[in-house]
C-alpha cells in the first residue's frame, strides 16, 4: 500500500517536471508582444520645457504611459520626439516592422479664466 502511494507521487512528479507541461522556460527571453494599434493611444498632456519634454498617453485599457524621447514605450513602439503640440512614435522590433511613424497631436484646451467659482 505504501509503495503505491510512493509510485503515484513519483508519477505526479514526473508529469510536473515534463518541460512540455511545465510552461515556458524561465531562462528563455520573454516572447515579444504583439504590435499595439496606435489608434488606441490618446495624448493626455505634455510637460516640461523646450530642452526636455515628456508626454503622457492613455492606452486602450485606460493606463497612463509616460512618453520620454528615445525611450521604449512598449508594445513595439518607441517615443521618437515630444514637442509642444505632438508626440511622435516610431515602430521598433519585429512585431511592428514596416509600420510608419505615428504623430499624436495634442488638442489645445482653451482656459476659461473669466468666470468666478
Amino acid at each position: 500500500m505504501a509503495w503505491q502511494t510512493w509510485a503515484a507521487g513519483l508519477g505526479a512528479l514526473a508529469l510536473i517536471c515534463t518541460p512540455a507541461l511545465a510552461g515556458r522556460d524561465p531562462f528563455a527571453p520573454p516572447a515579444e508582444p504583439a504590435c499595439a494599434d496606435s489608434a488606441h493611444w490618446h495624448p493626455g498632456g505634455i510637460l516640461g520645457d523646450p530642452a526636455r519634454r515628456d508626454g503622457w498617453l492613455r492606452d486602450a485599457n485606460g493606463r497612463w504611459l509616460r512618453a520620454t524621447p528615445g525611450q521604449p514605450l512598449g508594445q513595439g513602439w518607441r517615443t521618437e520626439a515630444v514637442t509642444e503640440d505632438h508626440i511622435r512614435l516610431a515602430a521598433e522590433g519585429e512585431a511592428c516592422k514596416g509600420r510608419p511613424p505615428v504623430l499624436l497631436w495634442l488638442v489645445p484646451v482653451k482656459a476659461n479664466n473669466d468666470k468666478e467659482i
Side-chain angles (χ1 to χ4, degrees):
M1 189 66 114
W3 67 272
Q4 292 172 342
T5 305
W6 186 81
L10 188 59
L13 183 62
L15 284 176
I16 292 172
C17 294
T18 304
L21 299 176
R24 80 168 192 87
D25 179 9
F27 300 106
E32 189 171 331
C35 188
D37 185 6
S38 60
H40 295 292
W41 288 331
H42 304 285
I46 295 173
L47 300 172
D49 56 25
R52 177 178 152 79
R53 288 191 172 104
D54 289 330
W56 291 96
L57 301 173
R58 192 176 64 225
D59 68 4
N61 297 326
R63 293 180 305 165
W64 287 98
L65 305 171
R66 185 177 190 167
T68 302
Q71 297 295 316
L73 188 60
Q75 302 172 342
W77 294 91
R78 177 180 46 81
T79 305
E80 197 170 75
V82 178
T83 67
E84 64 184 23
D85 59 358
H86 72 271
I87 301 169
R88 182 181 171 101
L89 305 178
E92 73 175 5
E94 288 298 316
C96 294
K97 190 175 182 177
R99 292 242 183 141
V102 174
L103 283 177
L104 299 171
W105 293 93
L106 187 67
V107 178
V109 178
K110 285 189 173 184
N112 198 359
N113 296 331
D114 60 345
K115 294 184 180 176
E116 292 184 28
I117 299 178

